[in-house]
Amino acid sequence: MKQRISLLILAFVMMATSLHANARTIQQMQEEQREIRNEAQEARGYLAVTQAEVSALEAEIAIIDAQINEVSESLERVNNALIAAQEDLFETEIALEVARDDLDDQFDRLKTRLRAMYMNGPLGYLDVILQATSFTDFLTRVDRMNRIARSDREMMDRLRIAEQEVADRLEETFVHMTRIEGFQLQHTERLLEFEFAVSAKEDFMTQLESEARTHEISIRALEQADREITAAIQQAQEEEEARRRAAAAQEAARRAQQQVRLPQGGTLLWPVPGRFTVSSPYGNRTHPISRRPEFHTGIDIPAPGGTNILAAESGTVILSRWNGGYGNTIVIDHGNGMSTLYAHASRLLVSEGTWVNRGDVIALVGSTGVSTGNHLHFEVRLEGRHTNPAPFLGI
């Protein structure tokens, strides 16, 4: 698409800058201008679609950015929880080590005492008992020995329980930390997926923005080509009008030199063959549409649409185009300041600057401009001023 637009722009610019050199006709240039404008309109459509896609991508990226922020915040909380769990695990490991050391110390003391008891044998206990000074002292000594033994057993039990509790807490902490690490991995994977999606969409948006700039450049180039071809058409029209006026002036001069004169009495050809009714004569009348008084500057000859209109006399066509309320109009210059006008035609068959002979078909009857039906409005003008055509037509 970019290559096609670029080639079209180049072609149109080259065409617009060389119109005069290639001597294109006005009709050809107008056709080329229509093509330029169609291409510009198409480029504007592409630009609008591209801009809409960019806007949609921006909205999608904004949504993903919000999701990224949400996941990032959640990931930060997970990371903090993981740090806390790691610290708790470290402290629990230290506590377990301390509990094991306490158990080992107590066990060492117990082993020392048992080793001493073994080395001394049962006499050690017997000596303690026999050294009693009274029965009460004896009972006291026996109770003390039992309490020491019971205390040793209870101490060992507590140390084992403490060790087990610390070990259980260590395992729970490890499991909790493992779960948090799983959350961390999930959040990290989602974050990477979102970032990849954003990157892909940003790349696509960059491509669309580049295409939009290309369309904008294309539109500006086509608009410039349109302006240049408009200027070329205007120049060609002015040149053609100048040529027509020069040709008309030359023809008028030639006829003046030959002293061609057109008599002013019944010498003009009736312009609508076979249709001799005059529905509205020259002079004052009530306008058939506005219903207001007006001066009718010619005569109206009704006829079916498409009936031939003939040149009333030979001359140069000095006007052949739409002419306001007259509709499609032809004016023929017959020289010596005399001209005839043919209005409301459905179709014009001769162009400006053309020489026509008396009786040539120059147009077809119609009802263009301000008209109430198919007819020919015919005028005779002397030095540009209208006059009653009836004497010239012999009626």
Side-chain angles (χ1 to χ4, degrees), residues 53-78:
E53 291 179 349
V54 170
S55 298
L57 274 178
E58 288 175 345
E60 293 176 5
I61 290 174
I63 293 173
I64 297 177
D65 283 339
Q67 293 174 330
I68 288 176
N69 291 334
E70 181 181 351
V71 173
S72 297
E73 292 174 358
S74 179
L75 180 59
E76 183 177 1
R77 291 192 294 270
V78 169

Side-chain angles (χ1 to χ4, degrees), residues 188-336:
T188 302
E189 289 176 349
R190 287 192 65 195
L191 193 61
L192 290 175
E193 290 175 358
F194 285 145
E195 290 176 348
F196 178 78
V198 168
S199 177
K201 290 183 180 296
E202 287 178 343
D203 290 343
F204 185 41
M205 188 165 68
T206 299
Q207 177 184 348
L208 289 176
E209 289 173 343
S210 176
E211 292 180 2
R213 287 191 294 272
T214 300
H215 293 321
E216 290 171 351
I217 293 171
S218 301
I219 291 170
R220 288 195 294 271
L222 289 168
E223 288 174 346
Q224 177 61 28
D226 187 9
R227 288 190 292 270
E228 292 178 0
I229 199 170
T230 297
I233 290 172
Q234 291 174 347
Q235 180 181 355
Q237 288 174 334
E238 292 172 358
E239 292 174 353
E240 184 174 348
E241 181 65 20
R243 287 194 299 271
R244 288 171 180 169
R245 291 183 182 277
Q250 290 176 358
E251 178 62 20
R254 182 184 68 79
R255 296 191 62 177
Q257 290 174 356
Q258 295 176 353
Q259 296 182 349
V260 176
R261 299 188 57 83
L262 185 67
Q264 297 185 4
T267 59
L268 293 181
L269 179 69
W270 188 261
V272 185
R275 301 288 172 175
F276 302 104
T277 301
V278 175
S279 60
S280 182
Y282 179 84
N284 293 318
R285 70 170 184 174
T286 299
H287 193 280
I289 296 179
S290 68
R291 312 308 300 171
R292 295 178 180 178
E294 69 158 8
F295 192 90
H296 192 219
T297 58
I299 63 172
D300 290 345
I301 305 172
T307 301
N308 290 337
I309 298 174
L310 309 181
E313 185 55 68
S314 300
T316 301
V317 179
I318 60 174
L319 186 145
S320 179
R321 59 176 179 268
W322 184 274
N323 188 25
Y326 283 99
N328 290 324
T329 304
I330 287 178
V331 176
I332 301 175
D333 179 19
H334 306 292
N336 296 325

